Amino acid sequence: MAPRTRAEALSRERIVEAAVELLDADGERGLTFRTLTERLATGPGAIYWHVPNKGALLDAATASVIAAALTVDAGRSPQDEIRAIGLSLFEAIESHPWLSPQLALQLSRSPRGSVTPRIFEAIGQRVSALGIPENTWFTATSALVHYVFGAAGQNAANSRVLGPGVDRAEFLRAAANAWEDLDPAEFPFLRSIADEVREHDDREQFLTGIELILAGMTGGSRRP
């Protein structure tokens, strides 16, 4: 058997793994074929053998992270699996700051691409197992998908705005204090929830949103 070339020895999986590492460290601008060749200690030809351009590399990195996030343990109820998938996607977007804009781009640009069908299939299978009418499956699944990525994306954006040097608890206290100082005649609602803003947990708030959607789908009540 002929010896393997360098391009063949360097796997596509390792290239994508290195791309994710670079994206996590420096965002999209930090991912170039030059930085990738340096990270992998190889030549550009070995990478081009597997990935033709940066766009394809971004797509592959996005698909890799999403595939891992969509993996949940079997044997739970459909509701539990929806919660698990939602939280897994939430945490993936939080852990990979570059992921949210890439998902938005792929969801709008390529509904037949690798990511969108996987997301809808993973959530849609569980929605269809809830026992709700078939003519509501698309709307119900879309509502969940839009909520997950809207809430997760906003949380990730908030984290980027705060930056590594800002204390989240201190920021929330300041925001709550500012809301409590608003005109009570003009902003009665914001003043009433200021204490919840001060102490809330992002993940619990996110899961509560999923519970509200599930309750609306099934006509049931929220879990305790």
Side-chain angles (χ1 to χ4, degrees), residues 120-187:
F120 271 85
E121 184 66 25
I123 295 178
Q125 282 186 16
R126 279 78 182 184
V127 168
S128 66
L130 292 173
I132 63 177
E134 185 173 349
N135 62 2
T136 68
W137 290 357
F138 170 67
T139 299
T141 301
S142 296
L144 276 166
V145 171
H146 292 155
Y147 169 72
V148 168
F149 287 107
Q154 185 60 56
N155 180 72
N158 291 342
S159 298
R160 290 195 299 271
V161 169
L162 290 180
V166 179
D167 181 81
R168 177 183 177 277
E170 182 178 338
F171 175 84
L172 291 177
R173 283 194 297 270
N177 292 340
W179 285 9
E180 286 179 335
D181 289 338
L182 292 171
D183 183 342
E186 189 175 1
F187 299 99

Side-chain angles (χ1 to χ4, degrees), residues 2-206:
R4 300 172 68 193
T5 67
R6 178 179 295 184
E8 292 170 325
L10 181 64
S11 71
R12 188 175 189 275
E13 290 73 18
R14 177 60 190 126
I15 292 170
V16 172
E17 179 184 331
V20 171
E21 293 168 358
L22 290 170
L23 287 164
D24 288 346
D26 297 308
E28 184 177 343
R29 66 179 182 180
L31 177 62
T32 67
F33 273 71
R34 178 178 178 180
T35 57
L36 195 56
T37 56
E38 292 173 352
R39 172 64 65 95
L40 295 169
T42 189
I47 296 175
Y48 283 118
W49 176 275
H50 296 282
V51 186
N53 53 54
K54 183 175 178 177
L57 187 57
L58 285 167
D59 287 348
T62 302
S64 174
V65 173
I66 291 299
L70 293 178
T71 302
V72 298
D73 294 334
R76 306 182 184 193
S77 69
Q79 291 91 334
D80 282 342
E81 292 187 358
I82 287 170
R83 295 179 192 113
I85 290 172
L87 187 58
S88 183
L89 289 169
F90 181 91
E91 292 175 341
I93 291 172
E94 183 178 52
S95 300
H96 305 282
W98 54 273
L99 185 59
S100 182
Q102 287 301 315
L103 282 171
L105 180 63
Q106 290 202 24
L107 286 168
S108 61
R109 182 192 65 191
S110 182
R112 294 181 297 175
S114 62
V115 171
T116 304
R118 290 184 182 279
I119 294 168
F120 271 85
E121 184 66 25
I123 295 178
Q125 282 186 16
R126 279 78 182 184
V127 168
S128 66
L130 292 173
I132 63 177
E134 185 173 349
N135 62 2
T136 68
W137 290 357
F138 170 67
T139 299
T141 301
S142 296
L144 276 166
V145 171
H146 292 155
Y147 169 72
V148 168
F149 287 107
Q154 185 60 56
N155 180 72
N158 291 342
S159 298
R160 290 195 299 271
V161 169
L162 290 180
V166 179
D167 181 81
R168 177 183 177 277
E170 182 178 338
F171 175 84
L172 291 177
R173 283 194 297 270
N177 292 340
W179 285 9
E180 286 179 335
D181 289 338
L182 292 171
D183 183 342
E186 189 175 1
F187 299 99
F189 172 74
L190 288 183
R191 285 170 54 87
S192 72
I193 64 170
D195 278 342
E196 293 183 52
V197 171
R198 186 180 287 111
E199 303 296 337
H200 84 278
D201 179 88
D202 291 330
R203 284 169 176 74
E204 285 301 318
Q205 183 185 45
F206 172 77

